[in-house]
Structure formats: structure tokens, C-alpha cells
Amino acid sequence: LSRALHDSRKKVIPHKMFATRTVPSSSLCCRALSSSSRNRRFHLRREMTTTTMMREQRPRVVRTTQASNDEDASSSSSIKTTSNPALKAAWFASEQFGKAIGGGKSNSSATVLEKQEENVMTTRAETIDSLAKDYEKNYFIGGESEMKAYSSSCVFADPFVSFTGLDRFKQNVGNLGTSLRDVECKVLKTVDNGVGGVIFYWKFSAVVDALPWRPKLAASGNTTHVLDDANKVVKHIEAWDVDPWVVLKKLLVPASKLPENKWELGMLAVSQRDGFGALQAISEPGVKLFAALFVLEKLPGVNLGGFEAFTSLMLVATAVTEFWALLISFGVVKK
């Protein structure tokens, strides 16, 4: 009987196969929470994508770690200028030239307001945003921006020289801005190095309209803005990616490849090492000038010292060049 009962139990189908599966309430809660969190993440990603598309296209600020701050602080905020006296002389000459064409205007009226606002505390983010707006207005080319983030005693340095004073900087760039056209400036990226400063990487180009041969001024590099405890810029250190001599040499080349005046023709010939072309560019006014000096030397009581031989030589050279250019224009001879 016991064996028969045992065999009959083996043939019975377990009730578990027909039992309804019971899901714990805690599991249902977890699934509900997981589903809602996925929905929230989906909507959040959609909102972030929409916000990013509508946001103004500005260079992203990259913030480095504290370890890299300590390593780069000394290198990025250190002031290095050239020791070449010729380059320094070229910089001071350009400053005086800017004062001459700019009329020596000063920003004394704006300076009073800037000094009143200098002690106002700002956050680091506000200062970086103010600097970005300065770049949008080409502040270091035309000087059109207010430069509110700067201290009045800020130190300005570039590959040529360094000096102290916001007024002097604004006057220099303001004078330079009056002589430029077709100005293009673009910020490539922005890096916040903490104590090492905020670095803006840029490139710019412009045509110097004040010079008669209208050369193109172009360079790329970066500017380090070192902030103090009040988040004011106390150091403005500019570095170029190219040698300053290369930039200065480009100022001898006209921006236009098709000369539109004698100056452009002469400077283009000089850049191409074409001596005849350079002499041809000055031959017409040169003949008039040296002819007048030659006649002046023959007047009684007039003595030009040792310039008599030089005047005669230049008169002959410019006259021959002008005559030869005339033959070339008629196709009689080839250049």
C-alpha cells in the first residue's frame, strides 16, 4: 500500500505548473521607478539638445585640473619679451605712428567710470564672459570694447615690449583701429588654467589702410589673462605662434596682388626682389624731384653740400628707367 501510494504521487503533475506567478510588490515599484527615470532622462536629453542648438556659438571654456594648474602657472603667466633692439624700436615707432594718425585722443572720460567700477567684486565666470564679449568686439585690434574686466594698473605684454596701464593700451589699440579695414578676428578656444590664468587662443587679419601700399597684418597666437582675488585682469600676456620678424616682413608686401598705385607696385617689386620694378615705381615722381634739385643746385648762392653728385646720379637713373619703361609699354623691348 505504501509503495502504491508512492507510485501514484509520482504521476501527479506538480501544482507549480498551474500556479499563477506572484510578483513581489517591491519589484513592481522598482520597475515603475526605472521606467519613470528612463522617461525623465529622455526628456532631459531632449531639453539639453534643444538648449544647445539655441545657445549662441561661443568657444567652450576648458577647465584644467589643479595639478596641471600648478605646472602651467609659471609658464603661461610669465612675461617674455624680445631683447632685439630693432624689434623694440619698431614697436615704439608704430606707437608714435598710431598717435600721429589717431590724433593722440585719450580716454580720460571713460577712465573715471572704470576706476569707480574697479573695486566691484565679480565672479570668475562673469569675468570670463566679459572677456569673451571683448573678443567679439575685436578689443585688441580696434579698442572698441569697454574692457570692464581689467584693472587700471594691468600689465600688458606682447613679444615686443611690456608696459603698465589700461589707458595706454586702449589708446594704442584705438589709434591702430583707425588705420585698419577688413578686420577679422576669431577665438579658436578658451582654457581656464586657474591660477595660471584664462587663455584665449585666437587668429586675426586686417589690412593696414594707413600705409600707402596697404599691407596685410595677420597673426595667430594666444593671450593669457591673469586674475587677482577680485577676479580683475592684472596681467595681459600676448604670445604669437610665429616669429615677430615674419609679421613685420609681411608689412612690406601689399595685400592686393594687382597693384593699384605706384606704392603698391614698388613694394610688390621689392618683395619679389625686382630692382627694376622698384625703381620704375619711383621713377616718375623721382624724375620730377631730382630734376628740381638739379636745377636748384645751379642757382647762384645755393649749395646742397655733398648731395650734388647723388642728385645727378638719381636723376639719370630715374630718367633712364622711365624711358626704358616707356619702350617696354610700346613693345619695343622686353623687360
Side-chain angles (χ1 to χ4, degrees), residues 38-109:
R38 279 199 302 271
N39 291 335
R40 282 199 301 272
R41 285 198 298 269
F42 172 76
H43 290 296
L44 181 60
R45 281 197 299 268
R46 242 172 81 178
E47 291 176 2
M48 291 176 64
T49 304
T50 306
T51 306
T52 304
M53 293 175 63
M54 297 176 60
R55 189 179 299 162
E56 184 181 357
Q57 296 290 332
R58 284 187 181 177
R60 186 170 62 92
V61 179
V62 180
R63 290 177 172 81
T64 58
T65 60
Q66 185 63 35
S68 62
N69 289 346
D70 298 336
E71 294 174 359
D72 298 337
S74 58
S75 60
S76 61
S77 61
S78 60
I79 298 177
K80 298 177 182 178
T81 59
T82 181
S83 58
N84 192 317
L87 288 176
K88 289 183 178 293
W91 189 93
F92 285 110
S94 65
E95 184 181 39
Q96 297 303 318
F97 176 74
K99 289 181 179 180
I101 62 176
K105 295 179 181 179
S106 62
N107 299 318
S108 57
S109 59

Side-chain angles (χ1 to χ4, degrees), residues 7 33 128-129 183 234:
D7 293 339
L33 289 173
I128 295 176
D129 185 65
V183 178
V234 292

Side-chain angles (χ1 to χ4, degrees), residues 8-206:
S8 63
R9 287 177 182 172
K10 286 185 178 181
K11 295 178 182 180
V12 176
I13 300 174
H15 71 279
K16 292 183 180 180
M17 295 181 62
F18 299 96
T20 304
R21 185 180 177 185
T22 305
V23 181
S25 59
S26 59
S27 177
L28 289 174
C29 293
C30 291
R31 289 184 183 181
L33 289 173
S34 176
S35 176
S36 62
S37 63
R38 279 199 302 271
N39 291 335
R40 282 199 301 272
R41 285 198 298 269
F42 172 76
H43 290 296
L44 181 60
R45 281 197 299 268
R46 242 172 81 178
E47 291 176 2
M48 291 176 64
T49 304
T50 306
T51 306
T52 304
M53 293 175 63
M54 297 176 60
R55 189 179 299 162
E56 184 181 357
Q57 296 290 332
R58 284 187 181 177
R60 186 170 62 92
V61 179
V62 180
R63 290 177 172 81
T64 58
T65 60
Q66 185 63 35
S68 62
N69 289 346
D70 298 336
E71 294 174 359
D72 298 337
S74 58
S75 60
S76 61
S77 61
S78 60
I79 298 177
K80 298 177 182 178
T81 59
T82 181
S83 58
N84 192 317
L87 288 176
K88 289 183 178 293
W91 189 93
F92 285 110
S94 65
E95 184 181 39
Q96 297 303 318
F97 176 74
K99 289 181 179 180
I101 62 176
K105 295 179 181 179
S106 62
N107 299 318
S108 57
S109 59
T111 304
V112 176
L113 180 61
E114 290 167 1
K115 288 183 176 179
Q116 291 176 353
E117 296 179 349
E118 187 171 354
N119 295 326
V120 178
M121 294 289 292
T122 59
T123 64
R124 191 177 187 86
E126 290 173 343
T127 299
I128 295 176
D129 185 65
S130 178
L131 292 174
K133 291 179 180 178
D134 289 340
Y135 278 96
E136 290 175 2
K137 295 182 179 180
N138 301 330
Y139 81 99
F140 70 101
I141 300 177
E144 297 179 357
S145 182
E146 297 178 359
M147 300 180 67
K148 293 181 178 180
Y150 289 79
S151 168
S152 60
S153 58
C154 178
V155 177
F156 294 88
D158 57 25
F160 298 92
V161 297
S162 65
F163 60 87
T164 301
L166 178 61
D167 291 343
R168 183 179 178 182
F169 177 83
K170 295 186 72 172
Q171 183 178 9
N172 287 346
V173 295
N175 293 336
L176 180 63
T178 60
S179 65
L180 300 179
R181 64 175 174 85
D182 299 336
V183 178
E184 294 182 2
C185 180
K186 182 179 180 181
V187 176
L188 304 178
K189 68 175 180 177
T190 306
V191 178
D192 187 357
N193 273 343
V195 294
V198 183
I199 306 177
F200 283 79
Y201 292 83
W202 45 259
K203 64 177 181 179
F204 81 92
S205 63

Side-chain angles (χ1 to χ4, degrees), residues 212-213 254 256 258-272 274 277-282 335:
W213 61 92
S256 176
L258 296 175
E260 300 177 3
N261 55 48
K262 290 288 186 179
W263 279 100
E264 291 185 2
L265 179 64
M267 296 306 294
L268 185 62
V270 170
S271 64
Q272 296 175 350
D274 181 6
L279 191 59
Q280 181 184 356
I282 64 170
K335 183 176 177 181

